[in-house]
Amino acid sequence: MTEELERLWRLHDLDERAATVKAALAKYPEQKSSLEGRVNTEKKRLEVHAVAADEALKARRKVEQEIETVNAQQKEFEKRQPQVKTNEEFRALTAEIDGCKRKRSDLETKVLESMDREEALASQKPAIERALKEAEAERNGRIAEIARAEDTERAQLAELEAQRQEQIAGLPQATRLRYERIHGARDGRAVVAVINNACGGCYRAQPPQLMQDIRRGDRVFTCDGCGRLLVQPPGDPVSAS
Ligand SMILES: [Zn+2]
């Protein structure tokens, strides 16, 4: 294997490692947004709960006002009762008063139902608040962890890039230009291993003549399928046979 091919093989290794680190880095935005999403879901639940509690209270206040109105009406009817002249008028007022009593009883039932509902809502609130706090704590903890991992991985990338530059500098200019062009166009993967007589990048089978040329290990060949540079992995007895 020539020094040129050895450098290309080292570049293959560096680029694969960089691709792995980049793939890890690429996952963090989605992880972060999913953590935010959970916090937002819990916030929304708390908001919905607050609205429901407020509506229940308002509804009860309204019924309580209706009871006040019914009480006032009943008092009016009762005040008029001693003043009536006929039995018919008296019976009519008694019927009105009975109507008021029935209405109040119905309204009081509604008040009790509303209070039950308010109580149930109040008892649910601590669990919802706790879930929000937990989601926030998990988000904060995980985001701090992610930030540390990102720092480490960015430092690794910088180190890999420095090593890559070192290897590139030692390549013949024509090979360097080819490598850089493919590196830019192929998502940072310019050099691929030949595996079972096929390109390790696009899996295209390589012609027997080309395989013989590649095995000699004295020149750089390109895959017709993907344009990447083909290297026979050093010390690979199966592929080399
Ligand atoms: Zn290929």
Side-chain angles (χ1 to χ4, degrees):
M1 197 182 227
T2 62
E3 192 204 323
E4 179 185 12
L5 284 166
E6 269 170 20
R7 280 190 188 279
L8 283 175
W9 187 243
R10 281 198 287 273
L11 282 164
H12 165 83
D13 177 52
L14 292 170
D15 289 342
E16 286 305 311
R17 281 158 63 194
T20 305
V21 177
K22 277 181 197 160
L25 279 167
K27 281 183 190 148
Y28 296 135
E30 200 193 320
Q31 288 178 11
K32 284 192 239 181
S33 84
S34 128
L35 289 160
E36 284 301 340
R38 219 194 114 197
V39 169
N40 289 335
T41 303
E42 296 300 341
K43 271 188 188 156
K44 188 83 209 154
R45 263 180 80 200
L46 196 59
E47 275 170 29
V48 168
H49 180 275
V51 169
D54 190 48
E55 276 172 0
L57 182 65
K58 276 186 188 150
R60 174 162 62 86
R61 291 272 151 81
K62 205 173 150 234
V63 178
E64 283 167 348
Q65 271 173 10
E66 283 175 48
I67 291 174
E68 292 301 313
T69 307
V70 171
N71 284 343
Q73 282 171 350
Q74 189 181 336
K75 263 187 198 141
E76 269 308 303
F77 293 133
E78 283 167 349
K79 235 194 280 173
R80 276 158 55 192
Q81 224 172 14
Q83 299 155 16
V84 297
K85 306 276 187 273
T86 66
N87 282 340
E88 205 176 315
E89 277 179 300
F90 188 86
R91 275 197 298 276
L93 281 174
T94 305
E96 294 284 8
I97 290 164
D98 288 346
C100 285
K101 286 178 183 166
R102 276 196 303 278
K103 211 169 169 187
R104 186 174 50 241
S105 167
D106 289 348
L107 291 169
E108 279 168 352
T109 305
K110 273 193 189 173
V111 167
L112 291 176
E113 283 168 359
S114 181
M115 284 168 100
D116 280 349
R117 169 144 179 74
E118 286 166 61
E119 222 172 274
L121 283 166
S123 72
Q124 288 162 6
K125 198 178 174 189
I128 300 172
E129 286 174 327
R130 205 160 49 236
L132 173 60
K133 279 215 176 81
E134 278 167 13
E136 283 173 336
E138 197 203 334
R139 175 200 59 190
N140 296 345
R142 278 289 297 135
I143 279 181
E145 265 175 45
I146 289 172
R148 283 194 293 274
E150 279 177 323
D151 284 350
T152 307
E153 282 156 11
R154 288 209 184 95
Q156 284 171 354
L157 271 189
E159 172 59 24
L160 288 168
E161 178 60 19
Q163 291 180 35
R164 194 176 79 88
Q165 290 300 335
E166 219 178 286
Q167 293 303 326
I168 295 171
L171 284 174
Q173 199 196 2
T175 309
R176 186 165 72 224
L177 292 175
R178 264 166 92 191
Y179 164 85
E180 283 288 53
R181 187 173 50 74
I182 306 165
H183 189 266
R186 288 284 175 187
D187 222 9
R189 282 167 148 145
V191 184
V192 287
V194 179
I195 302 162
N196 297 329
N197 298 337
C199 166
C202 70
Y203 310 111
R204 172 184 285 219
Q206 301 300 320
Q209 181 57 52
L210 184 64
M211 279 313 302
Q212 274 181 28
D213 293 341
I214 291 171
R215 281 191 195 109
R216 270 201 313 277
D218 56 3
R219 275 175 59 205
V220 181
F221 293 95
T222 307
C223 169
D224 277 346
C226 64
R228 293 185 183 92
L229 305 175
L230 296 165
V231 175
Q232 177 78 28
D236 184 348
V238 178
S239 300
S241 66

